[in-house]
Amino acid sequence: MASVSAMPIKDMLLSFKGRIRRRDWWLWYIAATVIIFVVYWLGTTIFLGSSKAAFDTFAQRTNESLLIESIVTIPLTFVICALSAKRAHDRNMLAWPFVAIVIANTVTNFIPGFVEGLVALQDGHIWQILILVLHIAALIGSLYSLVVLGFMDGTPGPNRFGRSPKGIGGDTAQATAEVFE
């Protein structure tokens, strides 16, 4: 197996170009998720004086805890989008549907109403029913992303997004020809 130079961390976390392996996607995705929770918990503990605030339901959240959550979530959502884009590229797929799913999930975290939406089905409140549908769509999108990006293998060899991150398949004929020009 040919050796592949590792992608610099800056490119791994901030660039939407290139390809990454499942292993790298899992490791960085889990790290970003843990960082979101830890920094949010620390932020609510330090700035609001209570670690309990990090575990409040949406109805119990204060404007301050929502601000802290936004400050923490937005940059790390960008990182998760970049990771998901590169993972989609490894599968020789367009990135924008997976980036849209990540953004939709982030947005639904700030929209209350999953439980309220279930109750609203009985009452017929259209806005709460629409919020419930949005939450369900985000959940289905998340499961789809998890299966496609997290469990399915990438394209062996080079594809339209670059060389294999595993080093399989070598260079394309065009890349080899460029070396000898």
Side-chain angles (χ1 to χ4, degrees):
M1 182 185 304
S3 68
V4 174
S5 61
M7 182 181 291
I9 291 178
K10 179 186 91 167
D11 292 339
M12 176 79 72
L13 301 178
L14 301 177
S15 170
F16 284 74
K17 294 181 181 180
R19 298 169 62 179
I20 60 171
R21 299 175 70 164
R22 281 179 291 179
R23 175 197 65 197
D24 298 330
W25 181 81
W26 276 110
L27 291 172
W28 287 108
Y29 193 95
I30 290 169
T33 303
V34 168
I35 289 169
I36 288 172
F37 285 115
V38 169
V39 173
Y40 177 64
W41 178 77
L42 286 172
T44 56
T45 302
I46 293 168
F47 294 110
L48 302 179
S50 169
S51 62
K52 179 193 169 297
F55 303 104
D56 285 345
T57 64
F58 195 90
Q60 297 170 324
R61 291 181 190 169
T62 63
N63 288 340
E64 294 83 7
S65 68
L66 285 172
L67 178 64
I68 293 168
E69 185 175 359
S70 299
I71 290 169
V72 170
T73 302
I74 290 170
L76 288 172
T77 297
F78 182 85
V79 167
I80 292 171
C81 285
L83 292 168
S84 296
K86 284 190 283 299
R87 186 68 198 120
H89 290 168
D90 189 43
R91 302 248 322 111
N92 205 19
M93 301 173 80
L94 293 174
W96 72 263
F98 297 99
V99 171
I101 290 169
V102 171
I103 292 170
N105 277 309
T106 302
V107 169
T108 58
N109 288 335
F110 291 96
I111 298 175
F114 188 75
V115 174
E116 292 91 352
L118 291 174
V119 171
L121 285 175
Q122 299 169 349
D123 298 337
H125 295 103
I126 190 70
W127 292 111
Q128 290 177 324
I129 293 170
L130 289 174
I131 289 172
L132 174 66
V133 169
L134 179 65
H135 280 281
I136 292 171
L139 177 65
I140 291 169
S142 292
L143 293 174
Y144 173 74
S145 290
L146 180 69
V147 169
V148 171
L149 302 180
F151 294 107
M152 298 178 81
D153 199 13
T155 305
N159 68 20
R160 62 186 166 150
F161 298 105
R163 298 177 63 186
S164 171
K166 293 181 180 179
I168 298 172
D171 289 331
T172 63
Q174 180 182 359
T176 305
E178 288 173 5
V179 168
F180 294 105
E181 284 184 348

